[in-house]
Amino acid sequence: MSLFLVSANKSFDGWHKQYTHESKVLNCSMRFAIYLPPQAASHKVPVLYWLSGLTCTDENFMQKAGAQRLAAKLGIAIVAPDTSPRGEGVADDPNGEYDLGLGAGFYVNATQAPWNRHYRMYDYVVNELPAIVETHFPVSDLRSIAGHSMGGHGALTIALREPERYCSASAFSPICNPVNAPWGQKAFSHYLGEDRGLWRQYDAVELMKESRLPMPVLVDQGLEDNFLSEQLKTENLAKVAADTKYPVTIRMQPGYDHSYYFIASFIEDHLRFHARHLSEQ
């Protein structure tokens, strides 16, 4: 696997770098960003994988969240993949809408044509990308996962399905119950088909009902988020967590919306949360 360096910027005595590579899983060229803290110069460090939301790329979190300062202090690498496959021949929403196709991979393995040729973001995030990162960079196999909105959905569902691979999970404004939300219903019907029973494997509420190996989870949700009631369904996650006694902390934050101003306000809490659980392994 060859990596091609796109950019490199020194940050808090570490390095933020962007790379491209040819993905065998997604059948296209992909870009990801990695922040390597200064500790990576002398030993392997744990990794937080960050999954971004609809319309985003690897750049949104790295440029807006302000995570590098504390990641440098804590000795945590951050890896941010793109949100979907891209390039010539990659299917997109025929109507040009933002919630399907490019920028909207939903972190699933698509089974329906034409999406199934490229849209296998679940396998990319869980298997291919960590294998690349752990081969080419001074990082360990201690991993945590986090994300925002569609990426929060991805982080929660991946952690619930792959608990042995991650030490902790967190999310900002996640799409908690996509089988009952318009964004999820649109994406899943295209990527997975009309059998709603198959959708449940990518729904945090449904997965939490059957969790076999709970892990620490932190969720922050803004109460002024315009998407809260229709799309995010945080109350459904809170209910199933209470019913199953799943170890998730859900914080409803007054006055905050769906933006990166919200993420930047609480990213320190999330980084310290992950650092604590990564250090316990």
Side-chain angles (χ1 to χ4, degrees), residues 6 18-20 29-33 57-59 80-82 124:
V6 176
Q18 286 180 310
Y19 290 89
T20 61
S29 178
M30 288 294 288
R31 189 178 74 189
F32 69 90
T57 68
D58 62 288
E59 293 183 333
D82 202 346
Y124 179 72

Side-chain angles (χ1 to χ4, degrees), residues 51 105-108 147-159 171-178 188 202-204:
L51 308 183
F106 268 84
Y107 306 101
V108 305
H148 171 233
S149 193
M150 177 187 72
H153 140 77
L156 294 180
T157 55
I158 287 171
F172 290 86
S173 315
I175 307 171
C176 298
N177 194 196
F188 289 0
Y202 298 110
D203 185 292

Side-chain angles (χ1 to χ4, degrees), residues 44-98:
K44 291 185 176 183
V45 296
V47 183
L48 174 64
Y49 287 85
W50 174 269
L51 308 183
S52 290
L54 289 165
T55 76
C56 293
T57 68
D58 62 288
E59 293 183 333
N60 295 74
F61 179 80
M62 291 299 200
Q63 294 181 3
K64 296 180 179 180
Q68 291 90 342
R69 178 188 61 80
L70 187 57
K73 181 178 180 180
L74 297 173
I76 298 174
I78 302 174
V79 172
D82 202 346
T83 49
S84 78
R86 299 180 193 267
E88 185 176 353
V90 176
D92 195 11
D93 188 304
N95 299 314
E97 296 180 350
Y98 72 94

